[in-house]
Amino acid sequence: MIESIGSTAPDWITGLMDTLGAPGAGVAIAAENLFPPLPSEVILPLAGFAAGRGSLHLASALAWTTLGSVAGALALYGVGALLGRDRTVAIASKLPLVNVADIEKTERWFRRHGTKAVFFGRMIPLFRSFISIPAGIERMPVTGFLALTTLGSLIWNTVFVLAGYLLGERWEEVTGYVEVYSKVVLAAAALAVVVFVAARVSRPGSGIRRRE
């Protein structure tokens, strides 16, 4: 029984895995995609730990969590495509624990990087869920969206499920690694912005034109 391990994971997560097994992990990850404040860094390594104990099959845990990721992402893609930007943002602003500013940041990132944002966005906290919304709003081809989302989700899920599998009783240490990873990603993004701005400013002709 997963509930007997005494983890700090929310009861509903352990309950789903106890009741449904690997499909329960998939349902939990689908919910995490729809409600980003839910902790994928807890769900995934917990599923890996359960696989290590024999409660779940490792391959099933990877397959179902990836399927859950794609299902949740496709639902958000559909919301963006059906409602459009303004109505989606208006609804999101009324939801608890959802920061509209995060959606707007993700939207700008999608417009800047296009389809690459869907793949890499699946491996960045918060962006991994919200990136589906601008993809839907911009009506990105569904086949391409599904392919990139599946591949990106498979990589992200595999890393965290295997981490839980290998760490065993220490699976909860993964959350600390995620915090460090998030800070590194944010620092890298900030550095990229600084470099981009510096390059634009220092480029010949970028300043005030001198009179001839």
Side-chain angles (χ1 to χ4, degrees), residues 23-93:
V27 171
I29 284 297
E32 178 267 336
N33 276 263
L34 296 173
F35 303 98
L38 297 178
S40 67
E41 65 270 23
V42 171
I43 300 169
L44 293 171
L46 177 58
F49 173 54
R53 287 170 57 93
S55 300
L56 307 177
H57 291 292
L58 181 59
S60 294
L62 290 171
W64 279 101
T65 53
T66 300
L67 180 61
S69 295
V70 174
L74 187 59
L76 288 179
Y77 175 97
V79 168
L82 181 64
L83 300 180
R85 182 190 184 281
D86 293 339
R87 283 187 290 178
T88 299
V89 172
I91 293 173
S93 66

Side-chain angles (χ1 to χ4, degrees), residues 80 105 124 154 169 195 201:
K105 290 177 184 177
I124 300 177
L154 180 61
E169 297 285 348
V195 171
V201 171

Side-chain angles (χ1 to χ4, degrees), residues 42 60 83 86 98 100 122 133-134 149 171 188 201-202 207:
V42 171
S60 294
L83 300 180
D86 293 339
V98 175
V100 173
R122 298 302 307 174
I133 296 175
T149 297
W171 68 269
V201 171
S202 62

Side-chain angles (χ1 to χ4, degrees), residues 12 22 50 55 73 76 82 99 105 120 122 139 160-161 174:
W12 69 271
S55 300
L76 288 179
L82 181 64
N99 190 342
K105 290 177 184 177
F120 290 106
R122 298 302 307 174
R139 299 298 179 93
F160 283 90
V161 170
V174 174

